[in-house]
Amino acid sequence: MASRQRCLSMDNLNPHIKELEYALRGPLVARSFQIQKELKEGVKKPFTQMIRANAGDCHAMGQVPITFIRQVLAMVIYPAFLDNPHFPDDAKERARTILDSCQGGSVGSYTNCSGLEIVRKQVAKFIELRDGVPADWQNVIVSAGASDAIRKVLRLFACDVDGQTSGVMIPIPQYPLYSATLTDFGLARINYYLDESKNWGLDVLELKRAITEGKKVCKPRAIVVINPGNPTGQVLSRQNIEEIIKFAYEENLFILADEVYQDNVYEDDCKFHSFKKVLTEMGEPYNTVELASFMSCSKGYMGECGFRAGYAEVINMCPKVKVMYLKGNSVMLCSSVIGQACLYSITNPPQKGEPSYESFQKEKNAILDSLKLRAKMVAKTFNSMEAITCNPTQGAMYAFPRIYLPPKAIEVAKSQGKEPDVFYAFELLEKTGICIVGGSGFGQQPGTYHFRTTILLQTDTFKTMLEKFTEFHTEFIKNYS
């Protein structure tokens, strides 16, 4: 009897899924988990532990959760803790407010598809306090992390316009969420390059070059900006943001502002400026530009990646389009209610005079001060090595050094069917147990090679990683020169 043909095969699979690539969960990371398993099974390696520097997962790297946030979450999950005298009153007050707003008084119930009203109103207060300009809570949509919010906005552009594919401008290097999502939705990708020689600065002339090229093959409709940068760690100046807003106005582009690292600014001469604030203060006609800005509980000082919580603030969107946008969001019913409680706690931290204020500030500042120290450490160490240059990490959680690979290494990499930076990363992994991500997964200028590493490892482990990295790199360059 002939075998039955499968109804779903590689020949009839959605072609966008086959084209989709996501470097942060690719073969290199898969191999790192396999090595970790081998170590547990007693397989001999040139190292005894895995050092993961590949993902922005704070708690996985040893960061201790903020006590106040976890106290609130503990009480909303198990309300009996509200009677526990060891929990402070300000945490109890937040927990009661959240529970009182939930159907049946339980975070186990559904909420409005855009999130609990009290959470959205609190986020709006947070934005107003940050920017000094009004924020309408009805423009705030709570999401399952910033990634979920970003995908739901980009999905709105997934159609042809005047017979042309819709295009979205993204920075190169970029966070792979964007390239993967554009591929998934069948949107055209318009690359604009950040200037490594100017600390990954953004040049308006480059934006104009990129959109001119883009118009030859698609209809440009939106621009993505990541500030502070991932993987590049730069912080945009206010002047740069104004230039981007003017460019978006002139080209009639929707701005997607990825601002999830807004708490992570380490250099004294740098300051985070939100696109919402700058756009509003610029006045007419620029304050009419359509904008979606994104924030997450996963980054910053809190690092609560696993709760999958974030938000989008959408302004100047056509009211009829907004109805469609909210309708699309409703298909998933609502984001995690525990995640919403986490977002409420983060945007409503202890205030001066409340019981948890001193301890909260101490924990928060300790995390940010430690990240600042590691940001300086990583650039200094990489710049001391032969054949590596590294711009300072002004913000976010990453460094994106450039490696000058010998021709022999490039030749060997190509013979193995690997990108040269990926080959370098695999060699590093197999010989040291350090997991990074090759720069080709983020995009880079042709002919250049980079890698991304986080600065999230705790200080002692981070020092060990950099020492092992230095030893490996010196030997690698020597062997392939």
Side-chain angles (χ1 to χ4, degrees), residues 223 244-250 252-255 275 279 282-283 285-292 315-317:
I223 180 170
I244 296 165
I245 291 169
K246 288 178 181 177
F247 172 79
Y249 174 79
E250 291 163 2
N252 196 28
L253 299 175
F254 190 111
I255 298 176
F275 268 78
L279 181 150
M282 286 174 71
Y286 305 112
N287 60 3
T288 61
V289 171
E290 293 153 274
L291 168 72
I315 62 172
N316 296 329
M317 181 179 276

Side-chain angles (χ1 to χ4, degrees), residues 54-237:
N54 57 293
D57 191 344
C58 305
H59 294 174
M61 304 289 185
Q63 181 175 309
V64 178
I66 296 289
T67 303
F68 174 80
I69 295 170
R70 289 300 180 91
Q71 287 174 330
V72 174
L73 296 177
M75 287 184 282
V76 299
I77 293 170
Y78 187 61
F81 282 146
L82 286 164
D83 297 324
N84 190 316
H86 295 293
F87 285 80
D89 289 342
D90 49 354
K92 289 180 177 179
E93 182 269 326
R94 268 78 164 178
R96 288 193 181 97
T97 300
I98 294 165
L99 290 170
D100 288 347
S101 68
C102 293
Q103 296 186 75
S106 171
V107 290
S109 58
Y110 288 126
T111 73
N112 180 282
C113 63
S114 296
L116 288 165
E117 185 174 315
I118 57 120
V119 176
R120 297 168 69 195
K121 286 181 174 178
Q122 181 55 51
V123 170
K125 288 180 184 177
F126 167 81
I127 294 169
E128 282 193 11
L129 185 64
R130 181 195 68 189
D131 294 342
V133 296
D136 184 345
W137 69 270
Q138 296 185 83
N139 290 334
V140 174
I141 293 86
V142 181
S143 57
S147 297
D148 175 56
I150 290 163
R151 285 179 57 85
K152 285 174 177 174
V153 172
L154 284 173
R155 182 176 59 183
L156 300 174
F157 296 94
C159 64
D160 291 352
V161 177
D162 299 328
Q164 289 185 294
T165 302
S166 293
V168 179
M169 301 183 71
I170 63 171
I172 299 295
Q174 50 96 34
Y175 178 50
L177 163 73
Y178 292 100
S179 54
T181 301
L182 298 187
T183 299
D184 193 11
F185 292 161
L187 292 163
R189 171 175 159 180
I190 305 170
N191 295 337
Y192 66 88
Y193 289 94
L194 304 178
D195 190 342
E196 186 170 11
S197 69
K198 296 180 180 176
N199 198 30
W200 301 111
L202 197 163
D203 189 338
V204 174
L205 291 178
E206 169 59 14
L207 293 180
K208 292 179 178 178
R209 180 208 63 78
I211 200 168
T212 299
E213 289 298 309
K215 287 176 180 177
K216 296 177 182 178
V217 294
C218 68
K219 171 70 174 177
R221 299 183 64 197
I223 180 170
V224 171
V225 185
I226 308 173
N227 179 47
N230 176 9
T232 44
Q234 86 284 11
V235 179
L236 292 179
S237 68

Side-chain angles (χ1 to χ4, degrees), residues 62 238 267 298 360 451 464 474:
R238 181 183 173 108
E267 294 201 352
S298 301
F360 174 84
F451 62 87
T464 300
T474 301

